[in-house]
Amino acid sequence: MQRSTDRMRRLKKLKSVTGAQDGVGGGDAAATATADNRTSESSDTNGAAASSGAGGKKPGTLNPEVFKHLDKSGRSEFLKYLKQQLQDAADTPVYDKNGVFKQGISNAIYQLLWQTLRFTHKKDIVLHLLLEVVALHADFPSLIVDVVNILDSETSLITDGFQEERHAFVQLVKDLERVVPESLLKERLEIDTLQEAGIVKNKSFYSKFIKVKTKLYYKQRRFNLFREESEGFAKLITELNQEFDENTTPESIMDIIKSLIGCFNLDPNRVLDIIIESFETRPDRWNLFIPLLRSYMPTGAIICEVLGYKFCHFKDSRTPRSLYHVCALLLKHGVIALNDVYVWLTPNDGSIKADWEEDLADAREMVRKLNLIQTNKKEDEKDPPPPPSVKKFNEEKYNANQKFGLCEALLKVGDWENAYKIIQKLPEQAVVLQEPIARAIADLIHLSVENIYYKKCFKAPAGRRPSRNRLYDDSKLVAKMQAKEFGDLRKYTWPMANVLGPAMHYDTVLMYKLIRIMRKLVVDMGVDSLNGPPPNSEAEQHYYDIMSSLDACILPSLLYLDNNCSMSEEIWAVLKYFPYHFRYSLYARWKNDSYQLHPNLIRRCGLAQRDIKALMKRVSKENVKQLGRLVGKYSHCAPGLLFDYILLQIQIYDNLIGPVCDLLKYLTALSFDCLGYCIIESLTLTGRLRFKDDGTSLSLWLQSLASFCGTIYKKYSIELSGLLQYVANQLKSQKSLDLLILREIVHKMAGVESCEEMTNDQLQAMCGGEQLRGEAGYFSQVRNTKKSSNRLKEALANNDLAVAICLLMAQQKHCVIYRETAAHSHLKLVGNLYDQCQDTLVQFGTFLGSTYSVDEYVERLPSIITMLREYHINTDVAFFLARPMFTHQINQKYDQLRKDDPNAKKLTTTQKLQKYLEATQLIMNPIVESVRPLHSSKVWEDISPQFLVTFWSLSMYDLHVPNESYQREIAKLKQAAGPASGRRQRL
């Protein structure tokens, strides 16, 4: 089909050149359709208008009558006509003196050959005549073959009813070898015609012809243009590396490149390579080379192939930084796509992931070996293994990784989007862990916070020099990434900081900047540990952005910073504005998950644990001060590891509680807060029994930990909210074992001792007032508890836990009997748990009554009716808690009645007593009525509601005054003061 189309095209072209042909044999039935449509007249090459003699034809044209007598006189007339046509221009039979194409000779030969095809004359006559024609001029063979080519097209295309003419044509071509050279026929005629005529006999000739043709016209030739066209490339290199003036445009350079390619036949791909090479040497002129490359090669995939071959060339050696830089600039400006060039980079992603996993496994193996105890160590070992340490940055391995190099280059030109795509394709921390990449991300974050930091957080000094980083030279990049307001931080700053992660430790200045911005944000929000931001507001988004950054980068980075106390304090300046449950969630991830991010963090964790164990072996009362400084240093960067081991040792050796409390005096506020979390985490660890093996008493580890809690919370200002909430949650879950912790805290911090196995003198003293109870009611004399008791009071008040814990303990006291019995617990254990609930409830209620003012107590405590009916508190506990409230209400009512009496100043003692009884009745009568529905009428037959209310509302102090206890304590004080007064008199 394609060959037929080509023939048709050539036929039209040749017929337009040769013009219309005269018909031969007007009445011949074998005339073709083409001949029928052909005009009988043809113009002369010179356009002569004179008439010829016979036949009425114009001069210069061949008389058709010649072909009727071709075997006689027509032969000489035909040759005479051709000779006449050659007289105008003897050099060529095709053109005249003016260079105009002559149609006469071509038409004559065309008509002569048609005589053979129509069988008008014998083929031999025509061939003999053609032999004489060929002798007339050297160009006639070529002209004859051209006419044969036209006949080939006509007979091959118009075949319906003319099969005989095609057959005659094939026979004619076979015999033309006697007239024209065979090579000329093979050159001009179609392959099919040559095979049909038998000139080409090889059947595979056509396929070979196609291969040769493809090789000649469609296959690119490879040859060394640098050697053969060195002048063109020299001029190109000169043009691309000259000093461009301000008026030079990419368009003008492009015109020069096109001229050089056309003049010196330069290979376009090599020209592209030279443009990229020139760009590498002058990356500062990116504003000229980027448009030039975009106009020279609009398809980025081809540029990626050239870059890919360059990267492949350097895969076994160090890749030049200039190549990374050029590739990054092209990616930044969208000339090429990342996926197109990424496939050329080495090593592959699987290899990088395998190396990362291997590094993590090596780090874990090192930690495992550190925890092994060698029992058969050989003393004569000559070459001991090197001590374990943190691995240093491997620059050689980094330089061999082209993906890391491209990521670094992208960050250095400010293309965060493409750099982040590379980070996402690989293990995230495996990329940002590399120091050059981490520092490049840090530079971008510096750029994003530069304006807002010096504008709102820190006043820049007068002589501060602007940054020399070339990122600041790109005004578009600065305008795009630099935050103007706090809301702009969400676009680039926080995402980049979160991706950077623990690697931010490479730039502590950046850490300080981000922390101060966070502090400014939370201060402007007006939030604190009790009040968060308004929901669904921009402040709430900032609030959680800060938490995410603290969790992802700030706290993990602190693990790398040894002995950096100031950084710890800066972080606490932000964290203290968050509620304890948010802070504890951050500590949990910091302590348990952050160490698994980097292999070096795993190694640092193992080495720190080894050092902490060695330190704790040396702890004693004599070296507390020296070791305390070391403990403080460890706590600045890794408090979680330190406190885990310390708490473990305390649970085993309770005699360490005192020295350890003294060791912790050098801790920062952040470390103390983390200690509070670690204590709660230690209490919640699963897999440890809270009872001794006999099942009758609490485990020693729980008792030691409770004692440590009381001591440490009293000595240092650690927030109690989390621990108190933990106790309340345990009570809510019907678990009363952790009341031991609350008892120790109240005892140590408030000086209120639980009433357990008291002597008769102590029982008598407990009937007295607060002063007597403090002096003689407890075994130990607790001093200086005012500050610590106020802290405990504030912690309970801030979280509304005072009343909640009281009510939960009251409920638990009566539920523990049935619950533990149903669980088949030992009877002694059930009794101990009941006594613990009762003792702790009395202790805690005594603390609340003595610490809270009456107004605060009344405000927080629910009414007696609410406790009895809604909370289902037993009568004894409800009246124990409400007793101070009754006294306060009766006193207020008594004062009101006395003021209302006009003779208030003249009232006698009896009248005052009467007023007091009246006030008591007004306050207690509603309570008496409220307790009636609590019991059946049969109960009230034995005792009256008034008796019940009166009995439970009075304390021992209301019924009995322990005069002997007062006198005994006064005597002790006088006896102790005697020697002191004697020494004063002697002095």
Side-chain angles (χ1 to χ4, degrees):
M1 185 66 185
Q2 181 66 32
R3 291 195 297 271
S4 299
T5 305
D6 293 342
R7 288 175 177 177
M8 197 67 180
R9 189 180 298 113
R10 286 195 298 271
L11 177 61
K12 291 179 179 179
K13 181 177 179 181
L14 289 171
K15 287 181 72 68
S16 66
V17 174
T18 57
Q21 304 295 328
D22 293 333
V24 179
D28 195 344
T32 62
T34 306
D36 291 339
N37 295 329
R38 192 178 298 117
T39 60
S40 61
E41 293 181 349
S42 174
S43 61
D44 181 48
T45 55
N46 298 323
S51 299
S52 64
K57 296 295 178 180
K58 297 178 181 179
T61 59
L62 181 63
N63 190 351
E65 298 296 329
V66 172
F67 297 106
K68 294 181 179 180
H69 309 286
L70 192 62
D71 53 346
K72 298 179 180 180
S73 60
R75 179 188 185 96
S76 58
E77 292 181 7
F78 183 81
L79 293 174
K80 180 180 179 181
Y81 173 77
L82 294 181
K83 293 177 181 179
Q84 182 182 359
Q85 293 292 326
L86 290 174
Q87 291 178 358
D88 296 336
D91 294 337
T92 175
V94 182
Y95 298 99
D96 62 7
K97 296 178 181 179
N98 299 323
V100 179
F101 182 78
K102 296 189 297 183
Q103 300 179 3
I105 297 177
S106 300
N107 288 340
I109 297 174
Y110 177 81
Q111 294 177 25
L112 176 64
L113 295 178
W114 263 113
Q115 303 302 316
T116 304
L117 301 184
R118 293 173 184 154
F119 302 101
T120 305
H121 296 284
K122 293 182 179 181
K123 180 176 58 173
D124 293 337
I125 297 174
V126 175
L127 291 175
H128 282 91
L129 182 57
L130 287 177
L131 286 173
E132 297 180 15
V133 171
V134 169
L136 296 176
H137 198 282
D139 291 341
F140 271 135
S142 176
L143 187 60
I144 292 172
V145 174
D146 288 339
V147 175
V148 170
N149 208 351
I150 295 175
L151 294 175
D152 183 17
S153 300
E154 289 180 346
T155 57
S156 62
L157 293 175
I158 308 173
T159 58
D160 294 340
F162 299 99
Q163 297 294 334
E164 294 180 356
E165 292 183 357
R166 180 64 184 174
H167 179 72
F169 173 77
V170 171
Q171 295 299 322
L172 176 63
V173 172
K174 288 182 179 180
D175 295 331
L176 275 178
E177 295 180 2
R178 295 181 294 173
V179 179
V180 297
E182 182 181 354
S183 60
L184 193 60
L185 292 174
K186 291 180 179 180
E187 177 184 343
R188 303 288 180 88
L189 298 183
E190 296 291 337
I191 303 299
D192 294 339
T193 303
L194 294 174
Q195 288 182 337
E196 191 175 358
I199 298 175
V200 176
K201 300 179 181 180
N202 190 356
K203 296 181 179 180
S204 62
F205 177 81
Y206 187 75
S207 60
K208 290 182 179 180
F209 171 76
I210 295 298
K211 291 180 181 180
V212 173
K213 184 178 179 181
T214 302
K215 184 176 181 181
L216 289 175
Y217 296 104
Y218 301 103
K219 189 172 183 181
Q220 185 178 7
R221 290 178 295 174
R222 296 181 181 179
F223 48 88
N224 191 344
L225 288 177
F226 275 111
R227 183 179 69 244
E228 298 178 6
E229 300 287 348
S230 59
E231 182 182 356
F233 286 106
K235 290 183 179 295
L236 176 64
I237 293 171
T238 303
E239 290 292 337
L240 292 175
N241 290 274
Q242 63 179 332
E243 289 297 330
F244 299 110
D245 54 21
E246 297 180 355
N247 298 325
T248 304
T249 61
E251 291 78 13
S252 62
I253 300 177
M254 187 64 194
D255 291 339
I256 296 173
I257 293 175
K258 288 180 180 178
S259 301
L260 292 174
I261 292 175
C263 181
F264 295 97
N265 194 23
L266 302 183
D267 184 4
N269 290 331
R270 291 192 178 275
V271 171
L272 175 61
D273 185 30
I274 291 177
I275 295 175
I276 295 175
E277 290 280 356
S278 302
F279 191 10
E280 285 187 50
T281 61
R282 309 178 68 183
D284 55 312
R285 299 307 301 266
W286 59 267
N287 52 354
L288 191 64
F289 280 97
I290 293 294
L292 176 62
L293 283 169
R294 189 179 278 121
S295 60
Y296 180 81
M297 190 61 66
T299 305
I302 298 178
I303 300 178
C304 286
E305 290 181 4
V306 176
L307 292 173
Y309 283 117
K310 287 179 174 290
F311 281 117
C312 290
H313 175 71
F314 293 107
K315 66 179 181 179
D316 296 327
S317 59
R318 181 170 180 175
T319 306
R321 295 296 172 192
S322 58
L323 181 58
Y324 290 136
H325 193 189
V326 167
C327 188
L329 288 172
L330 294 175
L331 285 168
K332 177 184 177 181
H333 293 90
V335 179
I336 60 177
L338 177 63
N339 290 334
D340 292 339
V341 74
Y342 188 81
V343 296
W344 295 91
L345 304 179
T346 56
N348 57 51
D349 292 356
S351 176
I352 298 175
K353 293 177 182 177
D355 290 344
W356 177 252
E357 295 294 335
E358 182 181 357
D359 204 3
L360 287 173
D362 289 344
R364 296 190 182 102
E365 180 64 18
M366 190 202 84
V367 174
R368 187 189 69 83
K369 290 181 178 179
L370 284 174
N371 295 325
L372 292 178
I373 300 176
Q374 296 184 1
T375 57
N376 56 348
K377 185 176 180 180
K378 298 180 181 179
E379 297 181 357
D380 56 346
E381 189 175 0
K382 296 182 180 180
D383 298 324
S389 61
V390 178
K391 282 190 176 181
K392 296 182 179 180
F393 174 65
N394 190 341
E395 186 175 359
E396 182 179 354
K397 185 177 181 180
Y398 174 80
N399 291 330
N401 195 314
Q402 294 178 345
K403 294 176 180 178
F404 290 169
L406 180 59
C407 183
E408 179 190 353
L410 287 168
L411 293 168
K412 287 185 175 181
V413 299
D415 190 2
W416 165 248
E417 289 78 8
N418 280 315
Y420 184 55
K421 290 178 182 178
I422 294 179
I423 294 173
Q424 285 183 312
K425 290 176 181 290
L426 302 170
E428 183 173 310
Q429 294 300 321
V431 181
V432 298
L433 176 64
Q434 312 301 321
E435 183 175 351
I437 294 177
R439 293 190 180 277
I441 297 177
D443 289 340
L444 275 181
I445 302 175
H446 273 296
L447 171 67
S448 66
V449 301
E450 185 83 7
N451 181 56
I452 199 169
Y453 176 73
Y454 289 111
K455 181 180 177 181
K456 297 189 176 183
C457 302
F458 183 79
K459 186 177 180 181
R464 188 181 75 90
R465 296 180 180 180
S467 175
R468 296 182 179 180
N469 196 315
R470 61 185 176 188
L471 289 172
Y472 293 83
D473 299 334
D474 191 347
S475 57
K476 292 184 179 179
L477 177 65
V478 173
K480 173 186 173 183
M481 300 193 68
Q482 204 165 71
K484 305 296 187 300
E485 300 295 335
F486 286 127
D488 300 334
L489 297 172
R490 195 175 302 111
K491 188 175 182 181
Y492 286 104
T493 305
W494 300 135
M496 288 191 294
N498 294 342
V499 170
L500 184 55
M504 192 179 285
H505 74 276
Y506 288 116
D507 196 336
T508 53
V509 175
L510 177 61
M511 290 182 65
Y512 278 112
K513 283 185 179 181
L514 291 181
I515 292 169
R516 288 170 182 173
I517 291 174
M518 293 176 185
R519 184 178 181 185
K520 179 66 176 176
L521 268 171
V522 295
V523 170
D524 290 349
M525 291 180 206
V527 299
D528 54 30
S529 60
L530 300 177
N531 302 301
N536 301 323
S537 63
E538 186 178 4
E540 186 182 37
Q541 293 179 348
H542 288 308
Y543 192 76
Y544 290 114
D545 286 339
I546 293 172
M547 280 191 61
S548 299
S549 294
L550 286 170
D551 176 46
C553 60
I554 301 297
L555 288 175
S557 297
L558 190 60
L559 298 172
Y560 278 104
L561 304 180
D562 296 328
N563 311 330
N564 199 329
C565 175
S566 59
M567 184 67 74
S568 177
E569 291 294 339
E570 288 280 354
I571 295 174
W572 175 247
V574 178
L575 276 175
K576 67 182 181 182
Y577 291 99
F578 289 86
Y580 74 90
H581 53 279
F582 283 169
R583 299 199 307 270
Y584 286 1
S585 64
L586 292 175
Y587 298 153
R589 285 180 51 79
W590 182 29
K591 172 178 171 293
N592 301 317
D593 298 337
S594 296
Y595 282 105
Q596 306 302 321
L597 295 176
H598 290 179
N600 271 349
L601 279 180
I602 298 175
R603 295 185 179 95
R604 289 178 66 88
C605 169
L607 296 173
Q609 288 176 335
R610 180 195 63 182
D611 296 341
I612 291 169
K613 291 177 182 178
L615 184 145
M616 289 302 296
K617 292 178 181 179
R618 299 159 49 197
V619 173
S620 65
K621 293 182 179 180
E622 289 75 20
N623 58 5
V624 165
K625 187 173 183 179
Q626 292 80 6
L627 296 182
R629 294 190 179 96
L630 293 177
V631 169
K633 290 180 180 180
Y634 282 118
S635 70
H636 297 332
C637 60
L641 298 176
L642 175 68
F643 298 144
D644 270 357
Y645 191 73
I646 288 177
L647 293 175
L648 179 63
Q649 293 297 300
I650 286 173
Q651 294 169 43
I652 300 174
Y653 310 105
D654 56 353
N655 60 343
L656 284 176
I657 294 176
V660 166
C661 289
D662 295 334
L663 280 176
L664 302 180
K665 62 182 176 181
Y666 296 105
L667 266 60
T668 61
L670 177 63
S671 299
F672 277 125
D673 198 51
C674 188
L675 174 60
Y677 163 75
C678 291
I679 290 174
I680 297 175
E681 186 184 51
S682 181
L683 288 168
T684 57
L685 287 177
T686 58
R688 294 190 300 180
L689 296 176
R690 291 177 174 248
F691 303 106
K692 292 183 179 179
D693 295 337
D694 56 4
T696 60
S697 56
L698 299 178
S699 296
L700 292 177
W701 71 263
L702 183 59
Q703 298 179 32
S704 300
L705 197 56
S707 177
F708 175 75
C709 289
T711 305
I712 200 71
Y713 278 98
K714 177 185 182 299
K715 188 167 186 177
Y716 302 108
S717 181
I718 306 174
E719 186 172 350
L720 283 156
S721 302
L723 188 61
L724 294 174
Q725 185 65 55
Y726 166 75
V727 174
N729 292 341
Q730 292 292 93
L731 290 173
K732 191 174 180 180
S733 302
Q734 298 182 354
K735 299 176 182 178
S736 59
L737 299 179
D738 294 288
L739 281 177
L740 179 62
I741 299 170
L742 180 64
R743 187 174 68 181
E744 288 292 334
I745 288 176
V746 174
H747 176 206
K748 299 288 178 61
M749 297 187 69
V752 180
E753 196 171 347
S754 61
C755 304
E756 184 178 356
E757 298 180 0
M758 302 182 70
T759 63
N760 290 331
D761 292 339
Q762 287 176 328
L763 287 173
Q764 289 292 327
M766 294 300 293
C767 297
E770 181 180 352
Q771 191 67 30
L772 180 61
R773 292 198 300 270
E775 292 291 335
Y778 305 129
F779 288 105
S780 59
Q781 298 296 321
V782 182
R783 307 291 184 183
N784 301 324
T785 60
K786 185 175 181 180
K787 291 183 179 180
S788 58
S789 62
N790 285 335
R791 285 197 294 111
L792 179 58
K793 171 188 170 183
E794 291 174 2
L796 291 168
N798 292 337
N799 297 277
D800 295 327
L801 289 175
V803 176
I805 290 178
C806 284
L807 298 178
L808 287 170
M809 279 193 290
Q811 293 173 348
Q812 183 67 15
K813 187 182 79 165
H814 293 282
C815 126
V816 68
I817 299 176
Y818 302 101
R819 185 174 182 276
E820 297 297 334
T821 304
H824 305 286
S825 299
H826 198 280
L827 184 60
K828 182 180 178 181
L829 176 63
V830 176
N832 289 338
L833 293 178
Y834 181 87
D835 292 341
Q836 179 175 278
C837 286
Q838 175 65 26
D839 295 343
T840 309
L841 177 62
V842 173
Q843 179 195 28
F844 192 71
T846 305
F847 162 72
L848 294 180
S850 60
T851 306
Y852 281 88
S853 65
V854 179
D855 293 332
E856 292 175 335
Y857 194 84
V858 172
E859 180 184 356
R860 296 179 183 276
L861 195 70
S863 65
I864 184 68
I865 300 173
T866 303
M867 287 191 287
L868 291 172
R869 293 184 179 178
E870 296 183 13
Y871 295 108
H872 306 286
I873 305 299
N874 280 11
T875 306
D876 56 342
V877 178
F879 277 90
F880 165 72
L881 296 174
R883 201 171 290 145
M885 184 170 57
F886 295 155
T887 305
H888 177 66
Q889 292 175 347
I890 291 172
N891 290 334
Q892 283 184 328
K893 198 66 176 178
Y894 169 70
D895 292 339
Q896 182 182 357
L897 292 175
R898 197 174 60 173
K899 290 178 181 179
D900 294 341
D901 194 333
N903 299 321
K905 296 183 180 180
K906 299 179 181 179
L907 292 176
T908 61
T909 304
T910 305
Q911 291 174 332
K912 291 180 181 180
L913 180 59
Q914 190 64 33
K915 292 284 186 185
Y916 189 83
L917 292 175
E918 183 181 353
T920 303
Q921 290 178 353
L922 292 174
I923 297 299
M924 303 303 293
N925 282 342
I927 299 173
V928 171
E929 296 300 324
S930 66
V931 300
R932 287 184 183 275
L934 298 177
H935 300 282
S936 62
S937 57
K938 187 175 182 179
V939 174
W940 301 127
E941 292 177 0
D942 298 329
I943 58 172
S944 64
Q946 291 85 353
F947 178 78
L948 178 69
V949 171
T950 303
F951 179 82
W952 288 116
S953 61
L954 296 177
S955 65
M956 186 62 70
Y957 184 64
D958 298 324
L959 302 176
H960 172 66
V961 178
N963 292 321
E964 295 180 1
S965 296
Y966 277 108
Q967 295 300 327
R968 188 186 310 111
E969 292 302 319
I970 291 173
K972 287 182 181 179
L973 292 175
K974 287 181 178 180
Q975 185 178 358
S981 61
R983 285 196 299 271
R984 189 181 300 110
Q985 290 177 0
R986 288 194 299 270
L987 291 174

